[in-house]
C-alpha cells in the first residue's frame, strides 16, 4: 500500500509494470537519463524527483479515472531542463519562472507530446506561471511536484524513493 498524506492506494499486481509501460520509452532515452547528473533538491537528483512526481501522479490519476498515462509521462518530463539551476544564469528571467518552457522545448525536440502532457510540463510551476493548468492531470502533477519537493527538502536525509528504481531498469 502506498500512502500519500491521507490517500491510500492498493497496488494491484502489475500496477508497477503498467506504470513502467507508460514511461518505458522515456526511461531509455539518453536525454532523460542526463537528468541523473543534476542535483535538484538537496541530495535528490532531477531524475529521482521527476520519477517520484511521475509515479505519485500516475497513482492519483489512475485512482480518479483520469489520463494516468499523460500524468506519468508529463510528470517524468516536467523538469527536463538539463542544467544546474544553482550556478546557471539564464538570459531571460529566473529559473523558477523559465524552466517549464525550457523543459517543454527539450521534451518536444525528442518526443511527440499530447496537449495534456504539454500543459503538465508548461504549468507545473503554477501559480508562478500565472496561467493556471487547463486539465485536472496538470493540476495534480503541479500539486504532487510541490509535495515531493517539500519532502525532498525537509526530509532529505530520510526520504526514500517512491519506487525501487531497480524494478524499472
Amino acid at each position: 500500500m502506498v500512502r500519500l498524506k491521507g490517500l491510500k492506494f492498493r497496488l494491484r499486481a502489475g500496477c508497477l509494470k503498467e506504470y513502467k509501460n507508460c514511461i518505458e520509452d522515456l526511461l531509455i532515452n539518453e536525454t532523460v537519463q542526463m537528468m541523473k547528473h543534476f542535483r535538484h533538491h538537496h541530495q535528490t537528483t532531477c531524475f529521482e524527483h521527476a520519477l517520484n512526481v511521475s509515479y505519485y501522479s500516475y497513482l492519483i490519476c489512475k485512482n480518479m479515472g483520469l489520463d494516468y498515462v499523460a500524468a506519468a509521462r508529463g510528470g517524468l518530463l516536467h523538469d527536463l531542463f538539463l542544467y544546474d539551476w544553482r550556478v546557471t544564469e539564464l538570459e531571460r528571467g529566473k529559473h523558477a519562472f523559465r524552466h517549464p518552457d525550457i523543459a517543454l522545448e527539450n521534451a518536444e525536440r525528442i518526443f511527440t507530446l499530447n496537449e495534456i502532457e504539454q500543459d503538465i510540463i508548461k504549468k507545473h510551476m503554477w501559480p508562478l506561471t500565472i496561467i493556471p493548468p487547463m486539465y485536472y492531470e496538470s493540476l495534480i502533477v503541479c500539486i504532487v511536484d510541490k509535495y515531493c519537493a517539500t519532502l525532498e527538502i525537509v526530509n532529505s536525509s530520510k526520504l526514500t524513493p517512491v519506487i525501487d528504481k531497480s524494478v524499472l531498469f
Side-chain angles (χ1 to χ4, degrees), residues 5 41-44 52 56 146-161:
K5 192 74 175 174
H41 303 123
H42 286 277
Q43 301 306 313
T44 306
N52 286 338
Y56 274 145
K146 282 141 189 65
Y147 172 80
C148 289
T150 301
L151 286 180
E152 292 159 4
I153 292 166
V154 174
N155 297 321
S156 62
S157 63
K158 298 176 185 174
L159 185 68
T160 56

Side-chain angles (χ1 to χ4, degrees), residues 33 40 44-45 50-51 71 85-86 89 105 116 132 148 152 154 168:
Q33 290 293 313
H40 199 30
T44 306
T45 67
L51 195 60
W85 60 268
R86 291 166 185 77
E89 288 191 31
E105 288 170 17
I116 297 174
C148 289
E152 292 159 4
V154 174
L168 293 175

Side-chain angles (χ1 to χ4, degrees), residues 11-16:
L11 298 179
R12 298 185 335 257
C15 187
L16 191 56

Side-chain angles (χ1 to χ4, degrees), residues 7-25:
L7 296 176
K8 296 178 185 176
F9 302 100
R10 296 204 183 280
L11 298 179
R12 298 185 335 257
C15 187
L16 191 56
K17 183 178 180 184
E18 183 181 43
Y19 168 70
K20 183 180 177 183
N21 287 339
C22 295
I23 62 167
E24 195 160 25
D25 64 312

Side-chain angles (χ1 to χ4, degrees), residues 40-151:
H40 199 30
H41 303 123
H42 286 277
Q43 301 306 313
T44 306
T45 67
C46 205
F47 180 82
E48 291 167 333
H49 167 73
L51 195 60
N52 286 338
V53 171
S54 172
Y55 189 62
Y56 274 145
S57 298
Y58 162 84
L59 289 175
I60 293 168
C61 287
K62 186 160 182 63
N63 191 299
M64 295 178 70
L66 299 172
D67 187 344
Y68 57 88
V69 174
R73 296 175 67 80
L76 188 60
L77 298 172
H78 81 279
D79 277 339
L80 190 67
F81 49 82
L82 305 174
Y83 57 83
D84 183 346
W85 60 268
R86 291 166 185 77
V87 296
T88 303
E89 288 191 31
L90 301 175
E91 287 183 24
R92 295 175 297 149
K94 299 215 179 271
H95 167 77
F97 297 92
R98 289 280 300 126
H99 83 271
D101 290 328
I102 295 168
L104 181 58
E105 288 170 17
N106 289 340
E108 286 183 321
R109 274 191 211 114
I110 308 165
F111 305 106
T112 301
L113 306 175
N114 67 32
E115 287 183 25
I116 297 174
E117 293 164 346
Q118 291 171 8
D119 196 62
I120 286 169
I121 297 167
K122 189 164 181 67
K123 312 272 182 65
H124 81 271
M125 286 299 290
W126 181 74
L128 293 181
T129 55
I130 300 178
I131 300 171
M134 284 180 52
Y135 303 96
Y136 288 119
E137 295 86 349
S138 305
L139 182 60
I140 288 165
V141 171
C142 180
I143 293 167
V144 169
D145 178 44
K146 282 141 189 65
Y147 172 80
C148 289
T150 301
L151 286 180

